[in-house]
Amino acid sequence: MSSVIHTRIAGTGKYRADGVLTNHDLEKMVDTNDTWIRERTGIRERRIALPGVYTSTMASAALKEALDAAGMQPGALDMIICGTVTPDMPLPATAAFVQRQIGASGNCPSFDISAACAGFIYGLSIADAFIRTGKIRTAAVIGTEMLTRFMDFEDRNTCVLFGDGAGAVVVTADHDGRGILSTHLFTDGSLTDILQIPGGGSKEPASAETVAQKRHCIQMEGREVFKVAVRYLSEAAETALSTNGKKPEDVQLVAAHQANMRILSAVSKRVSIPIERFALNLESYGNTSSASIPISLDEAVRAGRVNDNDLVLMIALGGGISWGSALIRW
Ligand code: UT7
């Protein structure tokens, strides 16, 4: 056993929202069609949270599963981090609600990270830094997102893309050399305009006018995001591998943020990792933003696709534009 601390994923969990919105349902709502959505995005249906379910309740359900998988009690958590841009409310943090809902210790710092679809990797990187420096031993990292409540269901450019859900991991200090090998985080603030929820903040405080203009709904210049996504996700994957002296063929599983099948196919080709190694669920979940990586990771783990010592690569990109990667020795 080495004295070097690594951050190991001890358990994973997810919340699968109960409602389903199919492409055929959307055909009745906006000028779109199943063929366009499937061919341009890879999405067939998306999950929608039912009334009475919030971002925090999804997160708590996912975290409970992750704690069970890790064989731990909520009291073991030293920190709770929620990656979300769709919090229960602007104040307080969604993570504070999660702390209460799962019955974690009142001394456990609990906060949200706003890095859009990259929020889970950002949270993982922060937890890793606290754990490797010995400040804490165990943390919960959650991606939880309810973008359908920030959606203009008359805007076909966005409403066909997103779904609700949450995924969680419990990470803990370990000494056997396995765990997170590296994380890399990036932001290009010159691209803040291409993916936004412009209303409801200090720049455009909520008013009857902002609501009437649907400024509280997500807006995206899809084509622009697409271009940078392929480039930056590929570069982040290559950085993760080269930093650790690994080759594409060393990677057993890629848990990538799932926004568009064409993005994932392009990244797969560019980084020379076959698409069969990607954990995919975009077809039935839609784009669940920060939740997409932990949900797909949890599904892969429960399907027995991840074995001890496998190399798992995570890559994500979202509004900011913020993106990043993590390489993990499972
Ligand atoms: O999760 C955060 C990161 N987000 C992403 O990575 C998303 C990146 N972007 C994308 O995935 C794609 O750009 C979209 C799926 C959003 C759009 O696909 P696209 O191939 O880039 O389409 P486009 O925006 O270039 O639009 C092509 C055509 C347009 O019609 P015209 O101008 O060629 O006549 C659109 O109006 O498709 C039209 N269109 C639609 N047609 C049917 C746009 N949305 C729809 C729709 N149904 N829902």
Side-chain angles (χ1 to χ4, degrees):
M1 194 179 275
S2 135
S3 60
V4 179
I5 304 174
H6 275 98
T7 304
R8 187 173 57 80
I9 294 182
T12 65
K14 69 175 171 302
Y15 176 83
R16 190 176 152 92
D18 289 325
V20 178
L21 186 66
T22 67
N23 292 349
H24 295 294
D25 295 332
L26 283 159
E27 284 174 351
K28 294 170 202 138
M29 298 160 69
V30 285
D31 179 16
T32 190
N33 59 80
D34 174 54
T35 308
W36 190 96
I37 302 173
R38 272 191 293 104
E39 288 179 356
R40 304 309 293 169
T41 72
I43 301 167
R44 191 168 40 85
E45 61 186 35
R46 62 287 296 136
R47 317 293 303 186
I48 309 275
L50 298 181
V53 176
Y54 312 115
T55 304
S56 66
T57 48
M58 296 196 305
S60 296
L63 177 53
K64 277 180 192 153
E65 262 197 22
L67 282 163
D68 280 351
M72 290 186 192
Q73 297 298 318
L77 295 174
D78 302 316
M79 182 173 281
I80 299 173
I81 308 174
C82 279
T84 187
V85 287
T86 53
D88 283 15
M89 50 185 81
L91 175 77
T94 296
F97 290 110
V98 173
Q99 186 207 77
R100 185 169 75 190
Q101 286 162 16
I102 66 156
S105 154
N107 294 325
C108 162
S110 304
F111 54 93
D112 295 353
I113 291 293
S114 174
C117 307
F120 178 77
I121 289 185
Y122 269 64
L124 196 65
S125 184
I126 292 166
D128 180 43
F130 273 94
I131 289 172
R132 274 190 299 107
T133 51
K135 295 268 280 181
I136 63 168
R137 189 174 164 73
T138 300
V141 182
I142 307 167
T144 182
E145 220 74 80
M146 202 170 273
L147 272 160
T148 65
R149 293 196 189 160
F150 297 79
M151 194 63 56
D152 175 1
F153 276 100
E154 292 178 343
D155 175 15
R156 70 175 184 177
N157 291 304
T158 51
C159 74
V160 303
L161 303 174
F162 295 94
D164 302 330
V169 297
V170 173
V171 286
T172 193
D174 208 300
H175 297 271
D176 71 359
R178 294 190 294 153
I180 297 174
L181 303 180
S182 67
T183 60
H184 289 90
L185 307 179
F186 309 91
T187 299
D188 182 348
S190 72
L191 297 173
T192 47
D193 292 351
I194 63 175
L195 184 43
Q196 288 191 334
I197 298 176
S202 62
K203 190 172 179 192
E204 294 186 34
S207 67
E209 203 183 331
T210 60
V211 172
Q213 292 174 356
K214 300 186 175 171
R215 303 290 287 170
H216 308 262
C217 297
I218 191 162
Q219 298 179 356
M220 178 166 71
E221 292 177 29
R223 220 173 299 186
E224 296 309 310
V225 179
F226 190 104
K227 277 189 247 165
V228 293
V230 172
R231 192 172 116 218
Y232 288 158
L233 286 170
S234 303
E235 287 175 5
E238 282 156 1
T239 302
L241 294 179
S242 62
T243 301
N244 294 287
K246 302 294 179 198
K247 299 193 177 63
E249 54 268 32
D250 297 330
V251 174
Q252 274 80 26
L253 187 88
V254 183
H257 169 52
Q258 297 178 53
N260 189 313
M261 230 4 251
R262 290 183 297 131
I263 293 177
L264 297 176
S265 300
V267 171
S268 153
K269 282 201 186 79
R270 277 203 191 196
V271 301
S272 304
I273 302 178
I275 197 74
E276 293 71 30
R277 299 221 177 151
F278 283 57
L280 298 172
N281 62 24
L282 178 69
E283 190 184 13
S284 58
Y285 279 84
N287 177 348
T288 55
S289 187
S290 67
S292 83
I293 288 181
I295 291 174
S296 56
L297 177 70
D298 179 67
E299 291 184 332
V301 168
R302 286 173 197 271
R305 285 182 69 185
V306 196
N307 299 305
D308 284 358
N309 291 309
D310 278 357
L311 263 195
V312 176
L313 173 66
M314 296 178 180
I315 45 173
L317 173 139
I321 293 292
S322 290
W323 70 103
S325 60
L327 192 67
I328 298 169
R329 171 72 66 199
W330 198 259

